[in-house]
């Protein structure tokens, strides 16, 4: 018996999986979101003006010179007011965001390989613990260089451990629930943005705000010590007894009494290294999928964080704008979850639709300068945020289904790595307004449309069996295509006339 069949015996989504879902898909994502968008509040510049103090030079000279002093107003503090990051120094705030995403880039690649080699659970738990430690040091930074350094390390741990947690959760539940859990994770990330805006509204001192958000992370860490290891990873490693014990633990926690079972040993991949990037490069199927998904991930990150981190440009209350930016994503996830599971849409067409519509929404902003009401730049900006959020949710689910278990975490890490390049560039794209006010939206719109069209070259994975090893890829893809074509033939035969339907069906079946 393979691990997929054994998981059905112990329960694909029982009490234990519901707890893991709440912990890793709900509470953890609320915490991760606060760390990702932390600079959206910490980097806001309070109202300020320059105060000129005349000073008389020493040394007997009668000449005098003026020295400027910054005076900040408002009822909150930020890193801008702490270290005077204004005017010529204002670029350092965007640099802090880019450095964080640079750390995330390092984290998703390194943690992906580490979790493929040493297991999901302890790599995730270690990363979460270090994430909290570096976040605390970041909140108490005595200087801006120290803030940048610790911000980079927070990005490494935050990006790496959240990726491994997503893989761990998916590998502990039935594959039919992956889309549901993935959509729930993305939904809670959006709610985490709104939650952070609410916390920031009441906590106006930036150091205290950076400390308060880690209380949630500490509680998650304590609960994470008791979660099981991924049975799919153990099975892919050939540790059959450990995989069986992990499955039985899930069964006990689910309060189910499965029949006795034994896991069937699997043959190792010939000539493929299970935990190295070369495994992906050697496979023509994986190489094609990886290149296409890397561009999709890059565009999703570029547009998503570009629109999120520029909420201050909307004018008005920064806390309200940030909360609205997060809440605008909420309708995307139930709609996305419905479409990707509908046979007429699936993963591929839904991803293409949301990426293209998000890009078109950003391009329409060029035709709505200064407009008010529903035909305004704010309306289409939020529509673009909704569409790109749905696309971001789909690429997580879609990518995890395109890779076999032996390199799934690594494959997602490679694709996620390229998305972080988008995150690194995103804080600087709004600065293109100084060249032409619509140029940022031209960048967002054109990249979204191209990514949407290229996604049509990917295979459909809806209702397809998940590959366990590299050798399963060709077989899995063949059976999935065969099943899809058979379903289409049956539908055509049912819609045709009785006599003609039987004749067409038999001819097509002979060709297959």
């Amino acid at each position: 018996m393979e691990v997929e069949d054994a998981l059905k015996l112990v329960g694909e989504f029982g009490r234990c999986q519901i707890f893991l879902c709440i912990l890793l898909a709900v509470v953890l994502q609320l915490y991760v979101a606060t760390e990702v968008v932390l600079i959206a509040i910490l980097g806001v510049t309070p109202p300020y003006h320059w105060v000129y103090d005349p000073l008389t030079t020493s040394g007997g000279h009668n000449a005098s010179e003026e020295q400027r002093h910054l005076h900040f107003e408002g009822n909150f503090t930020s890193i801008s007011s702490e270290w005077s990051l204004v005017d010529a120094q204002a670029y350092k705030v965007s640099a802090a965001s880019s450095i964080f995403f640079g750390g995330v880039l390092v984290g998703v690649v390194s943690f992906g390989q580490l979790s493929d080699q040493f297991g999901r659970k302890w790599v995730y738990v270690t990363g979460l613990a270090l994430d909290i430690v570096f976040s605390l040091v970041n909140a108490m930074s005595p200087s801006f260089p120290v803030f940048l350094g610790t911000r980079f390390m927070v990005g490494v741990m935050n990006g790496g451990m959240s990726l491994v947690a997503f893989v761990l959760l998916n590998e502990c539940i039935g594959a039919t629930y992956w889309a549901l859990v993935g959509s729930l994770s993305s939904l809670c990330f959006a709610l985490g943005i709104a939650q952070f805006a609410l916390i920031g509204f009441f906590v106006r001192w930036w150091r205290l705000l950076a400390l308060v958000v880690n209380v949630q992370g500490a509680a998650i860490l304590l609960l994470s010590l008791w979660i099981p290891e991924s049975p799919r990873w153990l099975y892919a490693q050939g540790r059959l007894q450990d995989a069986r014990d992990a499955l039985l633990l899930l069964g006990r926690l689910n309060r189910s009494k499965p029949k006795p079972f034994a896991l069937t040993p699997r043959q190792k991949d010939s000539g493929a290294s299970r935990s190295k990037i070369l495994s992906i490069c050697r496979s023509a199927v994986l190489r094609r999928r990886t290149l296409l998904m890397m561009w999709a991930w890059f565009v999703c990150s570029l547009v998503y964080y570009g629109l999120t981190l520029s909420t201050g440009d909307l004018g008005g209350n920064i806390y309200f704008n940030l909360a609205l930016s997060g809440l605008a994503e909420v309708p995307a996830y139930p709609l996305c979850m419905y479409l990707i599971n509908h046979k007429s849409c699936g993963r591929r067409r839904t991803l293409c639709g949301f990426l293209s519509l998000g890009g078109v929404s950003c391009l329409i902003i060029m035709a709505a300068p200064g407009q008010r009401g529903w035909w305004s730049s704010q309306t289409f900006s939020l529509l673009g945020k909704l569409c790109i959020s749905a696309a971001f949710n789909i690429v997580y689910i879609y990518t995890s289904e395109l890779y076999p278990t032996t390199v799934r975490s690594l494959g997602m890490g490679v694709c996620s790595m390229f998305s972080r390049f988008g995150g690194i560039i995103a804080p600087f794209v709004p600065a293109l307004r100084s060249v032409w006010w619509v140029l940022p939206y031209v960048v967002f719109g054109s990249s979204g449309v191209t990514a949407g069209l290229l996604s049509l070259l990917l295979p459909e994975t809806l209702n397809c069996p998940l590959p366990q090893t590299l050798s399963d890829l060709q077989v899995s893809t063949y059976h999935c295509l065969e099943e899809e074509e058979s379903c289409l033939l049956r539908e055509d035969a049912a819609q045709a006339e009785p006599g003609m339907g039987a004749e067409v069906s038999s001819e097509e079946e002979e060709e297959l």
Side-chain angles (χ1 to χ4, degrees):
M1 178 181 293
E2 294 192 355
V3 66
E4 199 71 35
D5 298 324
L7 190 60
K8 294 178 181 178
L9 292 178
V10 301
E12 294 184 287
F13 203 73
R15 295 171 181 264
C16 181
Q17 285 96 338
I18 292 175
F19 167 76
L20 291 175
C21 186
I22 294 174
L23 180 65
L24 301 180
V26 178
V27 185
L28 180 65
Q29 287 302 313
L30 293 175
Y31 169 71
V32 169
T34 60
E35 291 291 351
V36 173
V37 300
L38 192 71
I39 206 70
I41 291 181
L42 265 60
V44 175
T45 303
Y48 68 93
H49 63 272
W50 291 98
V51 177
Y52 295 87
D53 295 329
L55 299 176
T56 303
T57 57
S58 58
H61 296 283
N62 295 326
S64 63
E65 60 182 11
E66 292 182 339
Q67 183 175 351
R68 300 190 304 174
H69 295 278
L70 270 175
H71 178 72
F72 290 95
E73 302 172 354
N75 57 353
F76 66 94
T77 64
S78 67
I79 60 173
S80 297
S81 62
E82 178 86 11
W83 294 301
S84 301
L85 305 181
V86 299
D87 295 344
Q89 302 296 316
Y91 75 94
K92 293 183 178 180
V93 177
S94 298
S97 293
S98 294
I99 287 213
F100 173 83
F101 287 109
V104 173
L105 186 152
V106 175
V108 294
V109 175
S110 57
F111 274 60
Q113 297 187 66
L114 288 173
S115 66
D116 281 338
Q117 184 174 0
F118 299 107
R120 317 300 198 207
K121 175 183 176 180
W122 293 112
V123 172
Y124 152 66
V125 170
T126 303
L128 178 57
L130 292 176
D131 178 47
I132 296 172
V133 171
F134 284 115
S135 296
L136 295 176
V137 177
N138 183 246
M140 298 181 289
S141 299
S143 62
F144 185 69
V146 175
F147 180 86
L148 287 181
T150 53
R151 188 70 180 151
F152 174 82
M153 293 307 301
V154 170
V156 173
M157 302 304 162
N158 191 275
M161 69 86 181
S162 60
L163 173 69
V164 177
F166 180 81
V167 175
L168 171 60
L169 176 59
N170 276 354
E171 293 182 348
C172 287
I173 64 178
T176 55
Y177 297 94
W178 283 18
L180 172 64
V181 172
S183 299
L184 181 62
S185 299
S186 299
L187 172 62
C188 291
F189 187 92
L191 294 177
I193 297 176
Q195 171 196 257
F196 179 59
L198 179 63
I199 297 174
F201 179 78
F202 291 102
V203 182
R204 299 299 182 95
W205 185 33
W206 77 266
R207 292 185 184 272
L208 181 59
L209 176 61
L211 289 172
V212 167
V213 296
N214 284 283
V215 175
Q216 197 173 31
I220 298 171
L221 177 61
L222 293 177
L223 294 174
S224 297
L225 297 175
W226 307 101
I227 63 177
E229 180 56 275
S230 164
R232 281 192 173 94
W233 177 81
L234 293 170
Y235 181 70
Q237 297 294 312
R239 296 166 56 179
L240 302 182
Q241 185 58 43
D242 292 336
R244 184 175 182 274
D245 293 340
L247 289 167
L248 291 175
L249 176 59
L250 289 176
R252 288 195 299 270
L253 294 175
N254 289 338
R255 296 184 180 180
S256 64
K257 296 181 180 179
K259 298 178 181 179
F261 64 89
L263 296 176
T264 305
R266 296 186 57 85
Q267 294 181 352
K268 296 183 178 180
D269 291 347
S270 57
S273 176
R274 291 175 295 178
S275 299
K276 297 184 181 297
I277 298 180
L278 290 179
S279 302
I280 297 177
C281 297
R282 289 169 181 164
S283 172
V285 176
L286 285 184
R287 186 167 60 248
R288 175 189 176 91
R289 295 179 183 183
T290 301
L291 290 174
L292 293 171
M293 292 307 296
M294 283 193 304
W295 176 244
W297 280 70
F298 172 85
V299 171
C300 286
S301 181
L302 174 70
V303 181
Y304 181 88
Y305 291 112
L307 295 176
T308 301
L309 296 177
S310 61
T311 53
D313 298 331
L314 298 176
N317 189 290
I318 179 62
Y319 306 103
F320 175 77
N321 290 339
L322 184 60
L324 184 62
S325 176
L327 294 176
E329 304 176 31
V330 173
Y333 301 114
L335 177 62
C336 162
M337 186 171 58
Y338 170 76
L339 292 177
I340 63 176
N341 288 294
H342 197 279
K343 62 181 181 179
S344 63
C345 298
R347 274 62 162 156
R348 179 179 56 188
R349 293 176 181 174
T350 307
L351 177 61
C352 172
F354 277 117
L355 280 172
S356 301
L357 181 58
V360 170
S361 299
C362 292
L363 292 175
I364 291 178
I365 293 178
M366 295 186 295
Q371 299 293 326
R372 296 184 180 275
W374 69 271
W375 186 267
S376 65
S377 58
Q378 291 183 353
T379 300
F380 290 105
S381 177
L382 292 176
L383 178 60
K385 179 70 182 299
L386 183 150
C387 293
I388 210 66
S389 301
F392 220 155
N393 176 47
I394 297 171
V395 295
Y396 266 97
I397 300 169
Y398 199 7
T399 306
S400 63
E401 295 176 347
L402 290 173
Y403 288 92
T405 301
T406 52
V407 292
R408 181 170 295 125
S409 183
L410 175 61
M412 291 194 65
V414 171
C415 294
S416 183
M417 175 188 71
F418 271 79
S419 79
R420 306 313 160 188
F421 284 114
I424 292 171
I425 298 172
F428 295 98
V429 174
L432 296 175
R433 286 190 180 91
S434 60
V435 180
W436 186 28
W437 76 271
V438 297
L439 193 55
Y441 298 103
V442 173
V443 174
F444 295 149
S446 59
S447 58
V449 172
T450 56
L453 296 178
L454 287 175
S455 64
L456 292 176
L457 300 176
L458 291 165
E460 180 57 63
T461 59
L462 178 63
N463 299 325
C464 294
L466 293 176
Q468 296 294 330
T469 61
L470 293 175
S471 59
D472 292 340
L473 273 179
Q474 299 293 347
V475 177
S476 175
T477 303
Y478 172 77
H479 285 305
C480 185
L481 291 175
E482 187 180 45
E483 181 181 354
E484 183 178 354
E485 291 177 2
S486 298
C487 291
L488 291 176
L489 289 174
R490 287 193 296 269
E491 290 178 1
D492 292 340
Q495 294 175 0
E497 296 180 3
M500 184 180 297
E503 182 181 355
V504 173
S505 178
S506 62
E507 291 178 358
E508 295 293 342
E509 287 179 358
E510 288 177 3
E511 293 181 5
L512 288 173

